[in-house]
Amino acid sequence: MSVAQIIQELPKLTALDLIAVRRKLMELADENEEVALCDAMALEGAQLLDQMEAEDEG
């Protein structure tokens, strides 16, 4: 099954099935160092933006 076929089938899944898919994807991402590094960098960037917005409001 191709990635395109998998993506096409996702809307047909139940909410519980989607949760299971999301959990598995997160599990696989946690096992991949590159993905974990990207996640950490994205989190750091989001936290910096939150801090900048808080400073602008204050």
Side-chain angles (χ1 to χ4, degrees):
M1 182 177 265
S2 72
V3 172
Q5 290 171 315
I6 293 170
I7 291 172
Q8 186 177 10
E9 293 299 315
L10 289 174
K12 299 174 185 176
L13 297 176
T14 67
L16 290 176
D17 288 340
L18 288 170
I19 290 169
V21 169
R22 186 177 302 120
R23 284 183 180 154
K24 184 60 179 179
L25 289 172
M26 290 171 45
E27 178 184 313
L28 293 171
D30 286 344
E31 295 172 4
N32 185 320
E33 284 187 38
E34 290 179 10
V35 173
L37 179 59
C38 287
D39 286 348
M41 292 173 64
L43 177 60
E44 186 177 321
Q47 289 171 333
L48 179 61
L49 287 174
D50 287 346
Q51 182 182 4
M52 291 169 64
E53 287 178 354
E55 290 172 359
D56 285 347
E57 292 175 1

